[in-house]
């Protein structure tokens, strides 16, 4: 099958009303290697739970369905392996080689997760492609209907020439299912936000929609000074929800919450520092930026274009206070779909990111030095039946 | 198990907290309450999270990170507790025992505590490290990055092969020299390897370009008293701006030097051109002047030549005729002859044509009345000889039958005398012109001022322009009694000739030229006025500019008045102009006496 024909199935649809990016019928969020590696580090690093399993099985569950939905009735098995590899590359995860699939071997010569960890995190020796293991388990199920385990035997993170995944067919457990309820939510339209005269958000969003944010010849998306990747919102939601739930079982709910928010805060600073130093920012957004506040509004515009939240500035006192309102953030909507209402806010990513943006724009020093200089709290959340999620960030 | 032993914890000199799995406080020892001034009831069943100060999010984040990754042994973190509205910087050391957490809490901000001293020392070090103007990186013994400051991170901005920035965490533990492109810092890597092999303190220093930055690189080994060699440090000082400024300065200096050379060359060329132009101007003026002077000298020369020819001819004739002529005359006639000759050579009022005609008619009538033959011819000759009155004493001679012949001979002899006078006058005139020329061309060879009579200079210029002036210009001079002044006389002569020349041109050689030399308090003021067409207001300000001319192309270089201005300024004087259209122009030159 021609690659071009496959890629037509991955055509981006951007819903301007909801600020959603949709690829092959699935809402995807564009995050960068900082967030992906930090979430992985947080979830896998928690010794009280099996974080690796959360990531792996969430990926398996999501991609088993996602990939199956992309297939068309006339696709051959070869076509399907091609589609699996093409989707993986298109979303920016890397390159997969299925030429030895009959021997139960899949290799990857390029990996977002390896590159992301190497450029974003400390040294690591154990294999890092947990997500890919889950992706492959889901993909194999979608292509062949077989329930398998995929184990990364060697990884480029520890200087192997390629990541090597071995398929094991001795699995009995079925693919886990995490059913979603329909949550008919209509985002409020009467909110009033602070307008920035210099930053043209719609222009930024349209430019980013037109920008081909998809994998290059190595299946990577090195844009805006970071490695981007388009990940199904469901994946992030499942991982975070399950992580918090698992930690709650160990009576560490607030620890889980703090860890996720702290990861997002560090991620935001790293991500947007990369973005504001990138050539893409310099050519597209920097010409609009004249003040620190413009930079903040530019960052928010970029995050909206990447599908993070349809969130906007409700109040800004430079250096001191930021109030953001998210009208239909993927975390809140996802939580309602997977779990329904709850009595405490659940948008940990946006809570941490809000503090991180303030620290990046108004702070000084290294990321480590900037961390924690703002305190962010989600005061209203759609998960608590509020009409919108509200994040209040104050200087500590 | 902890509960069983808790009595023992009561006696420990540090604070102790017992937490359940959810990190809620179950027990507290007395020392904790004592140190932090809290009652035990306030703490029991309180989540540990509530004790963290909101001011130190880093501390609590660090605690939760360590806690989530805790496996065995002690977790050891620093954080800030807020208890009873007071913040305490604490060291938390905890371990999980079964389903509980045992946490030792030390208030580190108690003076004379060794932990406190270490913390203060660490903060002091971090402060210096963080605020250093140089980028600092500390490596372990395997050249892996242990620590670095913000300046180092931003200076290096390490990137992946896809130009993605490496994060701060990503640098930690990586071999520094693997991050550089091959060759960038090989010299430093080799030198540090040598140090590692035989560690002894020695500082390395080199200035190098790295990407687009010019860095001062200093490196040294770190050897501790107990542990010995533990690694090395490198300090990168960004000298790019200074270097670029130096290069810009050098470049500018070089450009300036080049520009200076070019300017010097241009100036030289301009000087040459100006000199040539001035020379041309001088030559143009001189050409006109010389034409006039040539005429001035040619005229007396012509008169002399004509008179000499006349003399030669008459002498030849008279030498042959006179012996016979005088032999036929009586002594009385000879006396009358010489009297008539004398009268003819007297200085008399020169008659104009009309007067001559009138006198001739009157004289012819008188001679006719005396019955003198050929009265008209004789009267004609007598008038030519300037003899038109008191002729009674010559009547006997004129009544002689050969009177016409005798009068003609007198006329010839008087011609000889007139010719000699003409020669004398012409010689005087030529001598005067030559003298003026000599005065004009007098050079102050040494370029020094000489005592000069200004009026003499003006008169010399007038003499030289006499030929042009005499045709239709009335020259009026009014001179005060001026003192001699020290000046560059040759150059001032050029001023007068330029102004006279301009005046003549302005009047088209017809009009009135007035030159006044006035003595004022400390200066001499020369006004040179013409009755020419005047200077329009719009060009008055330009006439002293070099190369400005109203003359047709090729007739003037436009340097005349510029030269005048420069010469006068050289004399610390001033030149001004007043002009009225169709009435005339006055140039006023003031020259200081001292």
């Amino acid at each position: 099958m021609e690659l071009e024909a496959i890629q037509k199935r991955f055509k981006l649809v951007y819903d301007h009303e909801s600020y959603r990016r949709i690829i092959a019928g699935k809402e995807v969020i564009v995050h960068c290697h900082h967030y992906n590696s930090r979430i992985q580090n947080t979830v896998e690093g928690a010794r009280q739970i099996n974080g690796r399993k959360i990531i792996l099985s969430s990926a398996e569950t999501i991609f088993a369905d996602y990939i199956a939905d992309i297939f068309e009735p006339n696709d051959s098995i070869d076509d399907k392996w091609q589609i699996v590899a093409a989707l993986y590359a298109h979303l920016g995860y890397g390159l997969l080689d299925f030429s030895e699939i009959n021997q139960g071997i899949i290799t990857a010569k390029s990996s977002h997760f390896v590159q992301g960890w190497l450029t974003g995190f400390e040294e690591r020796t154990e294999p890092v492609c947990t997500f890919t293991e889950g992706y492959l388990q889901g993909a194999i199920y979608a292509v062949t209907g077989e329930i398998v385990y995929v184990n990364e035997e060697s990884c480029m993170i520890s200087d192997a020439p390629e990541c090597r995944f071995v398929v094991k067919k001795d699995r009995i457990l079925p693919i886990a299912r995490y059913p979603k309820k329909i949550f008919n939510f209509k985002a409020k339209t009467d909110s009033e936000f602070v307008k920035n005269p210099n930053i043209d958000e719609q222009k930024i969003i349209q430019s980013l929609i037109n920008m081909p944010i998809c994998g290059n010849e190595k299946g990577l998306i090195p844009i805006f000074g970071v490695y981007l990747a388009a990940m199904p919102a469901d994946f992030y939601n499942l991982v975070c929800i399950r992580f918090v739930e698992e930690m709650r079982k160990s009576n560490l709910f607030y620890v889980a919450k703090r860890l996720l928010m702290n990861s997002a805060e560090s991620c935001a600073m790293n991500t947007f520092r990369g973005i504001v130093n990138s050539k893409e920012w310099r050519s597209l957004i920097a010409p609009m930026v004249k003040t620190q506040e413009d930079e903040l509004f530019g960052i928010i515009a970029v995050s909206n274009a990447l599908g993070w939240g349809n969130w906007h500035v409700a109040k800004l006192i430079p250096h001191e206070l930021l109030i953001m309102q998210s009208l239909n953030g993927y975390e809140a909507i996802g939580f309602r779909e997977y779990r329904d209402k709850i009595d405490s806010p659940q948008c940990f990513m946006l809570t941490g990111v809000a503090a991180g943006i303030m620290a990046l724009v108004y702070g000084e020093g290294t990321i480590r030095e900037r961390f924690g200089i703002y305190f962010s709290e989600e005061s209203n959340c759609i998960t608590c039946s509020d009409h919108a999620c509200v994040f209040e960030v104050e200087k500590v | 198990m902890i509960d069983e032993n808790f009595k023992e914890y009561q006696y420990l000199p540090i604070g102790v907290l017992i937490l359940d799995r959810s990190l809620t406080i179950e027990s507290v020892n007395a020392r904790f309450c004592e140190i932090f001034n809290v009652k035990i009831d306030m703490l029991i069943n309180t989540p540990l999270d509530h004790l963290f100060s909101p001011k130190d999010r880093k501390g609590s984040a660090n605690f939760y990170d360590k806690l989530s990754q805790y496996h065995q042994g002690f977790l050891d973190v620093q954080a800030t507790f807020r208890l009873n509205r007071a913040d305490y910087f604490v060291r938390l050391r905890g371990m999980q025992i079964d389903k509980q957490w045992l946490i030792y809490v030390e208030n580190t901000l108690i003076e004379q505590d060794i932990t406190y001293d270490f913390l203060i020392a660490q903060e002091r070090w971090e402060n210096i490290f963080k605020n250093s103007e140089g980028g600092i990186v500390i490596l372990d013994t395997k050249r892996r990055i242990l620590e670095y400051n913000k300046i180092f991170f931003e200076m290096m901005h390490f990137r992946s092969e896809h130009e993605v920035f490496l994060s701060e965490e990503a640098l930690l533990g990586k071999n520094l020299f693997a991050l550089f492109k091959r060759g960038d810092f090989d010299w430093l890597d080799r030198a540090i390897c040598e140090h590692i092999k035989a560690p002894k303190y020695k500082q390395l220093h080199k200035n190098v370009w790295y990407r687009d930055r010019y860095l001062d690189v200093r490196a040294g080994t770190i050897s501790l008293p107990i542990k010995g060699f533990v690694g090395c440090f490198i300090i990168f000082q960004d000298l790019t701006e200074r270097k670029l400024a130096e290069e810009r300065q050098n470049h500018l200096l070089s450009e300036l030097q080049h520009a200076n050379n070019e300017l010097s060359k241009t100036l030289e060329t301009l000087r040459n051109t100006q000199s040539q132009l001035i020379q041309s101007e001088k030559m143009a003026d001189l050409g006109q002047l010389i034409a006039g002077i040539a005429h001035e000298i040619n005229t007396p020369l012509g008169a002399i030549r004509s008179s000499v020819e006349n003399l030669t001819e008459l002498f030849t004739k008279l030498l042959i005729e006179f012996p016979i002529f005088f032999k036929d005359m009586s002594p009385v006639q000879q006396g009358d002859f010489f009297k008539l000759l004398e009268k003819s050579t007297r200085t008399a009022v020169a008659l104009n044509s009309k007067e001559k005609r009138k006198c001739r008619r009157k004289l012819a009538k008188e001679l006719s009345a005396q019955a003198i033959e050929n009265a008209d011819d004789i009267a004609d000759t007598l008038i030519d000889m300037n003899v038109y009155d008191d002729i009674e004493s010559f009547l006997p001679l004129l009544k002689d039958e050969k009177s016409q012949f005798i009068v003609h001979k007198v006329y010839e002899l008087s011609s000889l005398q007139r010719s000699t006078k003409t020669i004398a006058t012409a010689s005087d005139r030529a001598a005067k012109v030559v003298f003026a020329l000599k005065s004009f061309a007098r050079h102050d060879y040494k370029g020094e001022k000489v005592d000069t009579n200004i009026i003499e200079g003006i008169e010399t210029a007038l003499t030289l322009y006499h030929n042009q002036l005499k045709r239709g210009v009335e020259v009026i001079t009014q001179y005060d009694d001026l003192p001699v002044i020290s000046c560059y006389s040759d150059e001032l002569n050029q001023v007068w000739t330029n102004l006279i020349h301009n005046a003549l041109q302005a009047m088209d050689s017809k009009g009135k030229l007035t030159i006044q030399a006035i003595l004022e308090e400390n200066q001499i003021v020369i006004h040179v006025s013409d009755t020419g067409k005047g200077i329009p207001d719009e060009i008055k300000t330009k006439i002293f500019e070099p190369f400005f001319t109203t003359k047709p192309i090729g007739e003037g270089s436009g340097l005349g008045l510029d030269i005048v201005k420069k010469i006068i300024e050289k004399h610390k004087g001033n030149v001004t102009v007043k002009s009225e259209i169709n009435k005339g122009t006055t140039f006023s030159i003031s020259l200081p006496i001292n």
Side-chain angles (χ1 to χ4, degrees):
Chain A
M1 187 184 262
E2 293 289 325
L3 183 61
E4 208 174 315
I6 296 173
Q7 283 178 334
K8 275 187 182 168
R9 300 187 193 183
F10 308 150
K11 190 173 186 307
L12 171 73
V13 175
Y14 187 83
D15 180 355
H16 284 271
E17 201 176 321
S18 63
Y19 287 61
R20 293 279 191 263
R21 296 175 79 95
I22 296 156
I23 291 176
K26 194 96 181 153
E27 182 197 346
V28 295
I29 311 297
V30 179
H31 271 299
C32 72
H33 68 281
H34 291 294
Y35 188 63
N36 292 333
S37 56
R38 259 158 230 284
I39 282 288
Q40 183 175 356
N41 182 62
T42 299
V43 174
E44 286 187 349
R47 301 296 290 254
Q48 296 82 357
I49 60 166
N50 187 347
R52 197 178 120 73
K53 186 183 168 190
I54 292 174
I55 292 171
L56 196 154
S57 64
S58 297
E60 174 192 84
T61 301
I62 302 300
F63 283 95
D65 288 344
Y66 187 12
I67 292 169
D69 289 344
I70 294 171
F71 293 154
E72 290 176 2
N74 294 331
D75 290 339
S76 67
I77 288 290
D78 286 346
D79 289 342
K80 288 178 177 177
W81 289 129
Q82 243 184 302
I83 289 166
V84 170
L87 180 68
Y88 191 85
H90 186 84
L91 298 178
Y93 307 155
L95 290 182
L96 289 176
D97 182 353
F98 288 98
S99 58
E100 295 177 84
I101 186 67
N102 291 334
Q103 289 81 50
I105 302 295
I106 303 149
T107 56
K109 285 221 160 33
S110 164
S111 164
H112 166 86
F113 306 96
V114 173
Q115 286 291 346
W117 197 283
L118 287 175
T119 52
F121 238 82
E122 294 168 30
E123 295 264 295
R124 169 178 173 138
T125 49
E126 64 265 37
V128 73
C129 304
T130 313
F131 168 86
T132 308
E133 291 172 333
Y135 179 92
L136 288 171
Q137 287 181 185
I140 291 169
Y141 180 74
V143 174
T144 65
E146 290 179 291
I147 303 166
V148 299
Y149 290 119
V150 173
N151 187 37
E152 186 179 22
E153 285 202 334
S154 60
C155 182
M156 290 185 284
I157 196 86
S158 47
D159 291 335
E162 59 188 13
C163 295
R164 188 175 175 84
F165 301 90
V166 177
V167 181
K168 292 179 183 171
K169 298 190 176 182
D170 56 352
R171 176 172 168 178
I172 301 165
L173 288 172
I175 303 283
R177 294 294 173 190
Y178 299 94
K180 294 204 297 187
K181 296 171 195 165
I182 293 172
F183 174 52
N184 285 319
F185 178 75
K186 194 160 175 61
K188 62 190 294 225
T189 54
D190 58 348
S191 299
E192 285 194 2
F193 299 116
V194 179
K195 300 285 177 200
N196 182 296
N198 297 329
I199 300 297
D200 185 345
E201 184 179 69
Q202 289 311 313
K203 186 182 172 187
I204 293 169
I205 289 174
Q206 196 54 49
S207 301
L208 263 75
I209 293 166
N210 296 337
M211 194 183 282
I213 300 181
C214 55
N216 60 15
E217 70 286 353
K218 289 189 173 177
L220 301 174
I221 312 174
I223 295 177
F224 278 114
V226 291
Y227 290 108
L228 294 177
M231 198 66 87
D234 287 345
F235 170 75
Y236 286 128
N237 287 331
L238 262 189
V239 167
C240 291
I241 290 168
R242 291 176 64 201
F243 172 68
V244 172
E245 286 174 347
E246 290 298 309
M247 291 288 277
R248 192 195 290 270
K249 283 179 196 168
S250 302
N251 291 311
L252 293 172
F253 165 68
Y254 71 80
V255 174
K257 189 175 133 180
R258 292 267 189 276
L259 289 172
L260 288 175
M261 290 192 298
N262 292 344
S263 290
E265 185 176 336
S266 291
C267 154
M269 287 189 280
N270 276 294
T271 302
F272 288 113
R273 184 173 63 183
I275 287 176
V276 299
N277 281 300
S278 68
K279 62 176 189 291
E280 289 84 0
W281 175 277
R282 280 198 295 276
S283 62
L284 174 63
I285 300 149
M288 302 179 196
V289 175
K290 292 175 181 63
T291 64
Q292 285 175 302
E293 288 67 49
D294 294 343
E295 186 173 279
L296 186 141
F297 277 83
I299 286 171
I300 301 292
V302 171
S303 70
N304 279 332
L306 299 177
W308 289 18
N310 186 9
W311 65 337
H312 309 275
V313 177
K315 186 174 182 182
L316 174 65
I317 301 173
H319 298 275
E320 299 297 330
L321 174 79
L322 170 70
I323 298 179
M324 298 289 298
Q325 196 177 91
S326 169
L327 300 178
N328 58 350
Y330 74 88
E331 291 173 291
I333 302 297
F335 192 90
R336 294 295 297 263
E337 287 172 342
Y338 278 116
R339 297 290 186 263
D340 207 353
K341 286 190 284 187
I342 196 169
D343 56 0
S344 62
Q346 299 295 312
C347 301
F348 309 122
M349 187 274 293
L350 286 181
T351 307
V353 166
I357 290 173
M358 283 293 274
L360 183 74
V361 172
Y362 296 114
E364 283 180 354
T366 61
I367 298 291
R368 202 169 43 175
E369 287 160 6
R370 290 172 200 240
F371 179 87
I373 59 174
Y374 286 90
F375 176 75
S376 177
E377 190 174 31
E378 188 176 10
S379 57
N380 293 65
C381 186
I382 292 166
T383 59
C384 308
S385 300
D386 290 319
H387 295 298
C389 302
V390 176
F391 306 92
E392 297 184 9
V393 187
E394 277 184 293
K395 195 169 187 181
V396 170
Chain B
M1 187 178 160
I2 295 177
D3 291 337
E4 288 168 12
N5 299 323
F6 193 69
K7 281 182 185 172
E8 293 171 23
Y9 300 131
Q10 293 290 356
Y11 303 106
L12 285 175
I14 57 171
V16 177
L17 295 174
I18 310 292
L19 312 177
D20 68 9
R21 282 182 65 198
S22 66
L23 305 178
T24 301
I25 300 168
E26 286 185 338
S27 307
V28 186
N29 74 346
R31 179 64 182 148
F32 185 97
C33 296
E34 189 185 330
I35 296 170
F36 300 108
N37 193 27
V38 284
K39 290 181 178 170
I40 192 163
D41 301 346
M42 287 173 61
L43 298 171
I44 302 297
N45 293 326
T46 303
L48 179 72
D49 195 52
H50 291 192
L51 268 57
F52 288 114
S53 167
K55 275 191 175 175
D56 183 21
R57 288 197 46 230
K58 233 173 271 179
S60 61
N62 194 24
F63 176 79
Y64 291 126
D65 270 349
K66 291 268 175 68
L67 181 91
S68 77
Q69 293 171 11
Y70 172 81
H71 181 46
Q72 59 184 19
F74 269 105
L75 65 82
D76 194 349
V77 296
Q78 290 153 9
T80 307
F81 273 175
R82 177 166 291 182
L83 292 159
N84 255 349
R85 295 182 186 172
D87 282 340
Y88 299 94
F89 194 55
V90 295
R91 180 184 182 191
L92 303 176
R93 279 180 295 162
M95 66 185 298
Q96 199 170 17
I97 303 171
D98 292 335
K99 292 181 179 177
Q100 289 175 303
W101 284 90
L102 170 66
I103 310 284
Y104 295 132
V105 185
E106 289 173 76
N107 181 355
T108 55
L109 294 183
I110 297 172
E111 287 188 45
Q112 296 171 346
D113 182 310
I114 195 163
T115 314
Y116 169 81
D117 288 342
F118 278 127
L119 284 171
I120 293 297
Q122 187 187 349
E123 283 206 345
R124 201 181 294 129
W125 152 251
E126 278 181 357
N127 202 270
I128 295 166
F129 189 65
K130 191 171 77 177
N131 295 319
S132 164
E133 287 184 1
I136 307 174
V137 61
I138 295 169
L139 309 179
D140 66 11
T141 54
K142 293 181 177 172
R143 292 129 59 229
R144 291 178 304 207
I145 297 173
L146 283 177
E147 208 173 348
Y148 57 84
N149 65 0
K150 181 190 169 219
I151 303 283
F152 171 82
F153 180 80
E154 291 181 345
M155 193 183 280
M156 295 304 163
H157 242 164
F158 291 115
R159 294 166 208 198
S160 74
E161 58 184 306
H162 306 103
E163 291 296 301
V164 170
F165 302 112
L166 268 62
S167 74
E168 290 165 16
E169 291 99 318
L171 298 189
L172 295 173
K174 287 199 169 63
N175 183 313
L176 173 67
F177 298 99
L179 295 171
F180 291 122
K181 281 182 183 169
R182 187 174 293 278
D184 276 341
F185 283 96
D186 283 358
W187 63 275
L188 187 57
D189 193 16
R190 280 195 300 273
I192 285 175
C193 285
E194 289 301 312
H195 271 57
I196 290 169
K197 281 179 199 166
K200 59 178 179 183
Y201 186 78
K202 185 187 171 186
Q203 206 174 44
L204 302 163
H205 179 220
K206 199 172 180 178
N207 288 352
V208 292
W209 277 103
Y210 172 63
R211 291 185 183 150
D212 59 344
R213 314 306 298 167
Y214 188 70
L215 304 177
D216 173 282
V217 186
R218 289 166 196 270
T221 49
I222 306 171
S223 288
L224 302 181
I226 299 168
K227 286 191 84 175
F229 175 69
V230 291
C232 52
F233 68 89
I234 309 172
I235 303 171
F236 299 87
Q237 199 79 34
D238 191 346
L239 304 179
T240 314
E241 298 310 318
R242 200 165 83 189
K243 179 76 175 168
L244 291 177
E246 274 174 17
E247 286 184 355
R248 270 197 298 274
Q249 194 179 8
N250 288 338
H251 183 68
L252 282 174
L253 276 174
S254 162
E255 274 191 345
L256 200 61
Q257 189 65 45
H258 182 71
N260 263 345
N261 291 341
E262 288 297 309
L263 274 175
S264 296
K265 283 180 192 167
T266 309
L267 191 63
E268 189 60 34
T269 309
L270 271 174
R271 277 184 181 146
N272 288 339
T273 309
Q274 188 189 29
S275 171
Q276 284 170 9
L277 281 166
I278 290 169
Q279 197 59 28
S280 301
E281 180 77 13
K282 279 182 178 174
M283 291 307 288
D285 290 349
L286 202 60
Q288 288 187 343
L289 202 57
I290 286 170
I293 294 164
H295 183 81
E296 282 296 287
I297 296 174
N298 205 35
T299 304
L301 279 178
I304 292 167
R305 193 185 301 113
S306 168
S307 299
V308 169
E309 282 173 4
N310 193 24
L311 280 172
T312 309
E313 191 184 335
L314 280 174
F315 259 120
T316 311
K317 189 180 174 190
L318 290 175
L319 278 172
I320 299 165
E321 290 179 353
F322 262 49
I324 302 162
F325 172 73
F326 279 108
K327 194 181 170 184
D328 292 344
M329 286 177 74
S330 67
V332 175
Q333 282 181 317
Q334 284 179 13
D336 290 342
F337 178 90
F338 284 109
K339 281 180 185 167
L340 186 60
L341 179 61
E342 189 186 345
K343 188 172 177 66
S344 72
T345 56
R346 68 179 176 172
T347 304
V349 177
L351 301 176
N352 59 31
S353 308
K354 193 178 174 183
E355 287 169 334
K356 275 185 179 177
R357 280 200 300 278
K358 193 177 172 184
C359 285
R360 187 167 54 241
R361 278 199 298 276
K362 184 186 167 198
L363 189 58
K365 201 174 177 180
E366 282 177 17
L367 293 175
S368 293
Q370 293 294 328
I372 296 169
E373 288 181 14
N374 302 318
D376 284 343
D377 290 342
I378 291 168
D380 219 16
T381 305
L382 288 172
I383 291 300
D384 284 345
M385 286 161 39
N386 252 353
V387 177
Y388 45 81
D389 55 358
D390 297 331
I391 58 162
E392 290 78 13
S393 56
F394 304 113
L395 286 175
L397 186 65
L398 296 175
K399 286 179 180 174
D400 189 280
E401 58 180 0
K402 294 187 277 186
S403 62
Q404 190 175 1
F405 178 74
I406 293 165
V407 169
H408 187 69
K409 290 302 166 197
V410 173
Y411 175 77
E412 282 177 341
L413 280 172
S414 71
S415 290
L416 280 176
Q417 277 197 329
R418 276 197 302 278
S419 290
T420 56
K421 274 189 178 176
T422 301
I423 288 167
T425 306
S427 300
D428 284 349
R429 177 71 197 153
K432 194 177 176 186
V433 172
V434 170
F435 177 76
L437 199 57
K438 274 174 75 181
S439 301
F440 182 80
R442 184 179 67 202
H443 287 282
D444 37 4
Y445 293 108
K446 293 175 184 172
E448 290 171 1
K449 289 180 179 176
V450 291
D451 287 345
T452 305
N453 183 326
I454 295 293
I455 294 171
E456 279 181 8
I458 295 169
E459 280 297 309
T460 299
L462 285 173
T463 302
L464 294 175
Y465 276 99
H466 178 258
N467 183 54
Q468 283 100 313
L469 292 167
K470 73 183 181 191
R471 291 174 197 155
V473 177
E474 183 187 350
V475 179
I476 299 165
T477 54
Q478 296 170 354
Y479 302 140
D480 283 357
D481 190 11
L482 300 182
V484 166
I485 62 165
S486 178
C487 64
Y488 304 99
S489 64
D490 187 27
E491 293 184 15
L492 281 184
N493 283 344
Q494 201 179 340
V495 170
W496 315 134
T497 52
N498 268 332
L499 293 180
I500 293 168
H501 178 76
N502 282 353
L504 281 169
Q505 288 201 319
M507 297 188 288
D508 205 12
S509 295
K510 286 178 184 71
K512 192 187 283 181
L513 172 67
T514 306
I515 301 179
Q516 294 170 290
I518 300 163
L519 178 62
E520 290 187 355
E521 196 173 348
N522 288 315
Q523 62 181 3
I524 292 168
V525 181
I526 314 294
H527 300 291
V528 179
S529 308
D530 64 55
T531 53
K533 52 197 172 225
I535 304 167
D537 284 343
E538 60 269 23
I539 63 166
K540 258 185 208 167
T541 53
K542 297 180 183 174
I543 56 172
F544 292 107
E545 289 176 11
F547 308 109
F548 179 82
T549 181
T550 56
K551 297 170 192 171
I553 295 167
E555 285 189 18
S557 64
L559 282 169
L561 286 174
D562 172 56
I563 292 167
V564 167
K565 189 165 177 271
K566 283 193 170 70
I567 292 170
I568 297 304
E569 283 172 353
K570 189 175 174 181
H571 286 83
K572 313 280 186 213
N574 190 28
V575 55
T576 56
V577 61
K578 281 183 186 170
S579 185
E580 213 172 326
I581 295 297
N582 295 328
K583 287 197 173 172
T585 302
T586 299
F587 283 93
S588 300
I589 308 282
S590 59
L591 293 168
I593 292 172
N594 298 315

